[in-house]
C-alpha cells in the first residue's frame, strides 16, 4: 500500500515535470511564431507603403494581401483623412550652439563636448532619431558646414576654426573621411559654402565671402584654387557637379554686392538645371543649357524672391527708393515686370517657396504658409534655418535649447492619411494585427509615404 | 512471532518502485535534456532577432548572397547564416538561420521593398555627371 502511494506521488511529480517541459516548449514555439508573424506583418507594411508610393492611394480599394514565411497578412482599409503638414523634433542638447547641416535625407549636427572634442551626430529625416554618432578630437570650433555626397552617402563638409588656423573635414555616418588643416581662418559672416567632387572622387569645397571671388579647396590635400564669377553671382557647384566660375584670381570684388542666396532649379523650363543668385539689389540666373546669365536689377532693394512652380516661375520684388514695390519674373529672354496675386504681397522676407498658389517662407520673422484662399498658418518661429533633411522639398527648422523643431516640405501642403487594419493568418488560425497609418504627400509627380502605428507619434 | 511482509508483497512493491523510478528517471532526463535544448533554442531565437533588427537598421540593403558567421551567447556557440536574395524587381528577402549542433535551428524571414533599379540608375547618373577637371 505504501509502495503504491509512493508510486502515485512519484508518478504525479513525473507528470508535472513532463507537463512543465511541454508548457515551456509550447511557450517557446508561440514566441517564435509571434516573432515571425510580426516580421511578416512589418514586411507586408513595407510592401503596402511601396505600393502606395508607386501607385497612389487608389490601391486602398484593392485586395491587399502579402504572404511571407507561411504568414498571410491582409490589410483592410478603414478610412482616409487629412494628414496635415509633416512635422518632427530632433532632440539635440544645446542645439543653438551646434552647427546643423540638413544633408539630403538627414540632419547632421556638430557640437563641442569639451575643449578638445566635438560630437558629430547623424539624425534620420524620417524617425528624427540619432542613427550614428562619433567623437572627433580637435581644439578648433565648428563654425559652418555644407552637405556633400561622398561615395554615394550623404555627408557634410564641416569647417572648424581657431584664431589662426582652420580645419576642413568631410564626415559621413562612418566617421571622418578626410581632413585638412589650413594656416588661417577662411570663414566670414558672409561666407557661402558649396561642395562637390573631382572626377577621381576627391571631395572639394568652394568657400566664398559672398562676393564673386572664391577659393576651391581640395579636401584631401588642402591645395587652394582661386575662382571668380561675374558680378551678381558667386562661384558654386552646379547641380550636375560642374563648377560655375573660372579658375583665375579675377578682379577685385570691392563694390560688388554680396550674394545672399543661391539655389538651383529649372527656372526656364528647358529641362536643364539652372542656378539663381540673389544679392541685395539683383536677381540673376545662370542657364544650364546656354551658359548665359540673365539678370534683373531695376533699382531699389531686392526684398523677397523665389521660384513658384506652376505659377510665376522665378520672380522677385524690389522696393524702390520711393517706397513703391515692383515685381519682376523670369521670361524667355529676361525678366519682365508683372503684377502678382495678393498672396505674393504679404511682406515676404528673403526667399519664399511656392507650389501652385500655395506659398511658404518668412513674414515678420515667422515661417508661414499661405494657402490659395489667403489663409495664413504659422509654421515655426524663433531662430530658423532652411534646408532639406528628408529627401523632399525645402524644410523649415527652428532652434531651441533642447532641440530642433522641423516642418517638412510645407509648400506641398497637407497630405492624405490612410488607415488600415491588419489581420494575419498562420497555420489556419487568424490573429488581428496593428492598425497602420500611412501619410502620403505628393509633389511634382513624386509620392512620399510615411508610416506609423495608431497611438504612436510619427 | 513478529509480523512482516511476505515475499510476494516485497516482490510486488519492488517491481512497482522499479517501474516508478524508471519513469521518474526518464522524466527527469527528458526535463533536463528538454531544458537544455530549450535554452539553446531561445539563444538561437535571440540571435536571429538581433540579426534581423541589425539589418532593419541598415540604410541600404545588404549585398545579396549568403554570409555565415559564428557567434556566442551565454557561453554557447551558434552559427548564424544570413541569406539575402532578390524577390522580383523591388524586394529582397532576408533569411536568418541560427543553429547550434544538429538539433537546434531557428529561422526568421523578413522582406524589404524599394525601387532598387531607380536607386542604381541615380548613382550611375551622378557618377557620369561628376566634375571633369582638376
Amino acid at each position: 500500500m505504501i509502495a503504491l502511494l509512493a508510486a502515485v506521488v512519484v508518478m504525479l511529480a513525473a507528470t508535472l515535470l513532463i507537463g512543465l517541459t511541454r508548457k515551456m516548449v509550447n511557450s517557446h514555439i508561440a514566441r517564435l511564431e509571434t516573432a515571425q508573424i510580426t516580421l511578416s506583418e512589418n514586411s507586408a507594411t513595407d510592401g503596402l507603403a511601396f505600393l502606395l508610393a508607386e501607385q497612389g492611394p487608389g490601391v486602398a480599394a484593392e485586395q491587399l494581401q502579402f504572404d511571407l514565411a507561411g504568414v498571410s497578412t491582409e490589410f483592410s482599409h478603414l478610412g482616409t483623412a487629412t494628414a496635415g503638414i509633416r512635422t518632427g523634433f530632433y532632440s539635440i542638447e544645446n542645439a543653438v550652439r551646434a552647427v546643423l547641416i540638413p544633408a539630403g535625407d538627414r540632419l547632421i549636427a556638430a557640437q563641442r563636448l569639451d575643449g578638445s572634442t566635438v560630437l558629430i551626430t547623424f539624425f534620420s529625416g524620417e524617425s528624427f532619431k540619432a542613427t550614428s554618432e562619433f567623437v572627433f578630437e580637435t581644439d578648433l570650433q565648428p563654425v559652418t558646414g555644407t552637405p556633400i555626397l561622398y561615395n554615394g552617402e550623404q555627408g557634410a563638409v564641416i569647417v572648424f576654426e581657431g584664431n589662426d588656423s582652420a580645419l576642413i573635414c568631410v564626415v559621413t555616418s562612418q566617421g571622418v573621411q578626410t581632413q585638412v588643416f589650413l594656416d588661417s581662418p577662411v570663414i566670414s559672416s558672409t561666407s557661402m559654402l558649396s561642395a562637390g567632387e573631382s572626377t577621381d572622387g576627391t571631395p572639394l569645397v568652394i568657400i566664398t565671402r559672398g562676393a564673386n571671388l572664391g577659393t576651391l579647396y581640395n579636401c584631401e590635400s588642402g591645395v587652394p584654387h582661386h575662382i571668380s564669377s561675374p558680378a551678381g553671382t558667386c562661384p558654386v557647384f552646379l547641380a550636375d557637379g560642374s563648377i560655375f566660375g573660372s579658375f583665375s584670381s579675377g578682379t577685385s570684388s570691392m563694390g560688388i554686392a554680396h550674394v545672399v542666396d543661391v539655389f538651383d532649379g529649372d527656372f526656364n523650363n528647358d529641362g536643364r538645371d539652372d542656378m539663381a543668385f540673389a544679392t541685395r539689389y539683383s536677381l540673376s540666373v545662370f542657364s544650364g543649357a546656354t551658359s548665359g546669365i540673365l539678370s534683373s536689377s531695376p533699382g531699389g532693394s531686392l526684398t523677397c524672391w523665389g521660384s513658384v512652380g506652376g505659377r510665376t516661375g522665378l520672380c522677385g520684388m524690389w522696393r524702390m527708393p520711393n517706397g513703391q514695390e515692383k515685381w519682376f519674373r523670369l521670361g524667355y529672354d529676361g525678366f519682365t515686370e508683372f503684377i502678382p496675386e495678393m498672396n505674393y504681397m504679404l511682406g515676404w522676407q528673403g526667399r519664399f517657396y511656392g507650389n501652385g498658389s500655395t506659398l511658404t517662407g518668412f513674414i515678420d520673422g515667422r515661417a508661414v504658409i499661405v494657402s490659395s484662399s489667403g489663409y495664413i498658418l504659422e509654421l515655426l518661429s524663433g531662430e530658423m534655418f532652411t534646408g532639406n533633411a528628408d529627401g523632399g522639398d525645402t524644410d523649415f527648422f527652428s532652434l531651441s535649447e533642447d532641440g530642433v523643431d522641423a516642418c517638412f516640405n510645407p509648400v506641398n501642403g497637407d497630405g492624405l492619411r490612410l488607415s488600415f487594419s491588419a489581420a494575419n493568418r498562420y497555420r489556419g488560425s487568424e490573429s488581428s494585427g496593428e492598425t497602420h497609418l500611412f501619410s502620403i504627400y505628393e509633389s511634382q509627380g513624386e509620392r512620399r509615404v510615411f508610416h506609423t502605428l495608431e497611438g504612436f507619434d510619427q | 512471532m513478529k509480523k512482516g511482509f511476505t515475499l510476494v508483497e516485497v516482490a510486488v512493491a519492488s517491481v512497482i518502485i522499479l517501474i516508478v523510478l524508471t519513469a521518474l528517471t526518464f522524466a527527469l532526463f527528458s526535463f533536463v535534456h528538454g531544458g537544455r535544448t530549450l535554452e539553446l533554442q531561445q539563444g538561437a531565437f535571440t540571435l536571429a532577432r538581433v540579426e534581423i533588427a541589425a539589418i532593419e537598421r541598415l540604410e541600404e540593403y545588404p549585398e545579396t548572397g549568403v554570409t555565415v558567421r559564428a557567434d556566442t551567447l551565454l557561453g554557447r556557440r551558434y552559427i548564424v547564416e544570413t541569406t539575402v536574395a532578390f524577390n522580383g524587381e523591388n524586394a529582397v528577402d532576408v533569411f536568418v538561420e541560427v543553429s547550434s549542433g544538429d538539433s537546434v535551428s531557428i529561422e526568421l524571414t523578413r522582406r524589404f521593398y524599394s525601387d532598387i533599379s531607380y536607386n542604381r540608375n541615380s548613382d550611375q547618373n551622378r557618377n557620369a555627371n561628376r566634375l571633369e577637371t582638376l
Side-chain angles (χ1 to χ4, degrees):
Chain A
M1 192 64 191
I2 292 169
L4 272 174
L5 275 173
V8 168
V9 170
V10 170
M11 287 298 280
L12 273 172
T15 309
L16 276 172
L17 274 179
I18 291 169
L20 188 63
T21 308
R22 187 169 295 159
K23 195 175 171 185
M24 284 162 62
V25 169
N26 287 342
S27 165
H28 173 68
I29 290 170
R31 274 206 302 276
L32 189 60
E33 288 178 357
T34 304
Q36 183 56 61
I37 289 170
T38 304
L39 286 175
S40 295
E41 185 175 330
N42 291 347
S43 303
T45 305
D46 287 355
L48 180 51
F50 179 77
L51 278 180
L52 289 167
E54 289 288 299
Q55 299 173 29
V59 297
E62 298 173 10
Q63 190 188 6
L64 300 165
Q65 184 177 319
F66 299 84
D67 298 307
L68 180 66
V71 181
S72 179
T73 304
E74 193 168 342
F75 291 100
S76 301
H77 183 213
L78 299 176
T80 303
T82 303
I85 294 170
R86 187 168 167 260
T87 58
F89 180 75
Y90 299 92
S91 179
I92 304 171
E93 210 172 313
N94 288 324
V96 288
R97 283 181 280 283
V99 170
L100 299 164
I101 307 158
D105 59 355
R106 62 198 66 183
L107 183 71
I108 302 171
Q111 54 193 147
R112 176 156 294 289
L113 286 180
D114 53 46
S116 61
T117 54
V118 170
L119 175 68
I120 312 282
T121 313
F122 286 70
F123 293 90
S124 161
E126 293 203 1
S127 67
F128 320 119
K129 294 191 174 85
T131 52
S132 73
E133 64 180 18
F134 56 89
V135 171
F136 176 56
E137 289 192 16
T138 177
D139 55 0
L140 301 176
Q141 181 74 22
V143 287
T144 187
T146 189
I148 187 172
L149 193 65
Y150 183 82
N151 284 343
E153 192 194 345
Q154 291 286 356
V157 177
I158 301 177
V159 181
F160 299 79
E161 286 192 343
N163 290 333
D164 55 1
S165 63
L167 171 66
I168 298 176
C169 275
V170 176
V171 298
T172 68
S173 60
Q174 310 300 315
V176 175
Q177 302 299 323
T178 69
Q179 55 177 305
V180 61
F181 284 93
L182 305 174
D183 55 12
S184 63
V186 291
I187 302 296
S188 72
S189 60
T190 54
S191 284
M192 304 193 79
L193 271 67
S194 170
E197 61 183 8
S198 65
T199 44
D200 63 359
T202 305
L204 308 167
V205 63
I206 296 172
I207 301 176
T208 76
R209 288 183 185 264
N212 65 325
L213 299 181
T215 308
L216 173 75
Y217 291 97
N218 182 314
C219 297
E220 289 182 355
S221 66
V223 173
H225 295 268
H226 295 293
I227 307 181
S228 64
S229 65
T233 69
C234 66
V236 68
F237 277 96
L238 299 171
D240 65 1
S242 60
I243 290 175
F244 172 70
S246 54
F247 288 91
S248 63
S249 55
T251 54
S252 166
S253 62
M254 288 286 285
I256 291 178
H258 282 186
V259 173
V260 293
D261 192 18
V262 183
F263 54 104
D264 65 353
D266 180 13
F267 304 122
N268 49 14
N269 298 313
D270 61 0
R272 294 282 298 271
D273 271 323
D274 312 307
M275 190 67 77
F277 302 87
T279 73
R280 276 187 63 193
Y281 309 106
S282 66
L283 186 59
S284 305
V285 178
F286 169 77
S287 166
T290 66
S291 297
I293 295 176
L294 296 171
S295 189
S296 176
S297 51
S301 301
L302 178 61
T303 306
C304 60
W305 59 91
S307 178
V308 183
R311 275 292 199 277
T312 60
L314 182 66
C315 62
M317 186 273 277
W318 281 260
R319 180 162 287 117
M320 298 299 164
N322 61 5
Q324 191 184 3
E325 293 180 353
K326 285 193 172 182
W327 285 83
F328 287 80
R329 66 181 172 196
L330 182 67
Y332 177 71
D333 54 356
F335 284 86
T336 53
E337 191 173 357
F338 76 108
I339 298 173
E341 296 170 16
M342 284 304 293
N343 54 358
Y344 285 69
M345 297 190 276
L346 297 171
W348 297 102
Q349 298 161 324
R351 195 195 325 176
F352 53 81
Y353 308 81
N355 185 15
S357 50
T358 302
L359 296 181
T360 182
F362 300 99
I363 296 176
D364 292 334
R366 298 169 300 149
V368 299
I369 184 166
V370 179
S371 71
S372 53
S373 60
Y375 177 71
I376 301 177
L377 174 69
E378 180 174 326
L379 301 172
L380 297 168
S381 60
E383 191 178 340
M384 288 174 286
F385 62 101
T386 59
N388 179 13
D390 75 336
D393 287 324
T394 302
D395 311 317
F396 289 68
F397 305 91
S398 172
L399 292 170
S400 64
E401 272 299 319
D402 58 346
V404 178
D405 282 299
C407 186
F408 296 97
N409 321 304
V411 74
N412 299 328
D414 297 336
L416 282 178
R417 174 164 287 191
L418 277 68
S419 54
F420 295 87
S421 65
N424 299 298
R425 264 199 309 280
Y426 183 65
R427 290 184 177 168
S429 64
E430 186 169 316
S431 58
S432 60
E434 303 279 359
T435 297
H436 299 266
L437 306 175
F438 295 88
S439 298
I440 306 173
Y441 298 86
E442 296 194 37
S443 69
Q444 298 164 5
E446 188 191 354
R447 262 183 229 103
R448 299 166 54 70
V449 178
F450 299 93
H451 168 258
T452 187
L453 295 174
E454 192 174 60
F456 287 81
D457 288 329
Q458 205 161 234
Chain B
M1 189 177 169
K2 238 180 181 179
K3 193 180 177 186
F5 295 109
T6 65
L7 190 62
V8 173
E9 284 173 331
V10 170
V12 168
S14 299
V15 167
I16 290 170
I17 288 169
L18 193 67
I19 291 170
V20 166
L21 283 178
T22 306
L24 184 64
T25 307
F26 178 75
L28 276 172
F29 177 78
S30 296
F31 183 73
V32 172
H33 180 71
R36 278 184 189 155
T37 307
L38 207 56
E39 281 180 12
L40 282 170
Q41 292 262 18
Q42 283 171 339
F45 176 54
T46 302
L47 285 176
R49 289 185 68 169
V50 167
E51 184 75 3
I52 290 270
I55 294 169
E56 284 177 328
R57 281 197 299 272
L58 291 176
E59 292 186 357
E60 293 177 1
Y61 293 127
E63 296 277 323
T64 53
V66 182
T67 54
V68 182
R69 65 179 174 83
D71 206 339
T72 53
L73 187 67
L74 298 173
R76 296 187 174 87
R77 194 166 178 276
Y78 297 91
I79 301 297
V80 181
E81 184 176 313
T82 305
T83 306
V84 182
F86 283 115
N87 184 313
E89 286 189 356
N90 300 310
V92 288
D93 284 350
V94 177
F95 306 94
V96 175
E97 184 179 1
V98 183
S99 56
S100 180
D102 295 331
S103 59
V104 173
S105 177
I106 294 286
E107 185 174 311
L108 291 176
T109 309
R110 176 76 156 91
R111 182 171 293 162
F112 298 93
Y113 292 83
S114 177
D115 194 343
I116 300 161
S117 56
Y118 171 78
N119 292 336
R120 284 177 181 159
N121 290 337
S122 296
D123 287 344
Q124 285 168 4
N125 292 339
R126 164 129 195 107
N127 289 335
N129 285 332
R130 287 192 306 186
L131 187 65
E132 292 296 329
T133 55
L134 291 173

